[in-house]
Amino acid sequence: ITRIGAKCFTGCSFTEISIPDSVTEIGANAFAECVNLKTVDLPNITTIEAYSFYRCENLESIHIPETVTSIKEGAIFGCKNLTELNIPAAVENIELYGTLAGLESITAYNVDPANEHYSSDENGILYNKEKSYLIRLPGSYAGAYVMPDSITTLHYDAFRNCNKLTSVTVNAN
């Protein structure tokens, strides 16, 4: 098997899936709404297609291989039990519309320091590489947030579902 087609497993009730290394493409919505799916170890694909794991509500872990360069719109939207997201060095594009929404349990976005497009800090906050664009606070971020002076732009979803956030200090920029 080299390709898993679009919507192939949408709504299935399995808790885990073993995807062989021979798979080079996973279609859009391939595992959408597999609400019992807990872990995913992706093979050496280059793109996580749109809504691939949409509303996999019990997904706790997804291993993104070093070969991934693009994460499409809504790819992990609504994976409310996902606790960490590790973003490899090769990722050039994360389509932000809805992709990181509904990740209420995220404690950290961990970006490989060699990534040329994205970065994260010691609190697991996701930024562009220059840290001028605040993309997303982890959903489980608690307490006050003081915006670094380097930030000039906020993503519209930057603070979405941060229910433990108590205050935000916005910089003069």
Side-chain angles (χ1 to χ4, degrees):
I1 294 175
T2 59
R3 182 176 189 278
I4 296 174
K7 299 182 181 181
C8 185
F9 295 104
T10 295
C12 286
S13 62
F14 47 73
T15 58
E16 62 182 77
I17 186 163
S18 178
I19 303 171
D21 287 338
S22 60
V23 173
T24 57
E25 184 180 343
I26 297 173
N29 294 87
F31 300 96
E33 298 178 334
C34 291
V35 296
N36 296 320
L37 187 60
K38 291 193 180 277
T39 62
V40 173
D41 192 6
L42 294 173
N44 291 326
I45 58 175
T46 57
T47 301
I48 301 175
E49 290 295 339
Y51 303 98
S52 295
F53 299 96
Y54 175 80
R55 291 200 187 271
C56 290
E57 295 176 357
N58 288 303
L59 189 64
E60 297 170 353
S61 169
I62 184 168
H63 173 260
I64 300 174
E66 291 294 325
T67 54
V68 169
T69 59
S70 181
I71 301 171
K72 299 289 187 174
E73 178 181 321
I76 55 172
F77 175 93
C79 295
K80 63 183 182 180
N81 286 317
L82 192 62
T83 56
E84 283 190 344
L85 187 63
N86 296 314
I87 301 169
V91 173
E92 299 170 356
N93 180 46
I94 300 172
E95 291 183 6
L96 295 173
Y97 182 76
T99 300
L100 305 176
L103 304 181
E104 300 162 15
S105 298
I106 284 279
T107 59
Y109 297 100
N110 302 310
V111 180
D112 185 309
N115 187 296
E116 295 179 4
H117 305 277
Y118 299 97
S119 62
S120 57
D121 66 11
E122 64 279 355
N123 294 310
I125 299 171
L126 182 61
Y127 304 93
N128 67 339
K129 187 64 173 183
E130 298 78 24
K131 291 190 178 168
S132 63
Y133 182 41
L134 172 61
I135 298 171
R136 190 84 173 170
L137 260 68
S140 66
Y141 188 94
Y145 173 69
V146 177
M147 193 176 300
D149 288 339
S150 60
I151 300 295
T152 59
T153 306
L154 301 174
H155 181 62
Y156 75 93
D157 255 355
F159 303 103
R160 185 176 182 173
N161 294 329
C162 291
N163 298 325
K164 297 176 186 170
L165 183 66
T166 57
S167 68
V168 175
T169 301
V170 179
N171 68 38
N173 296 325

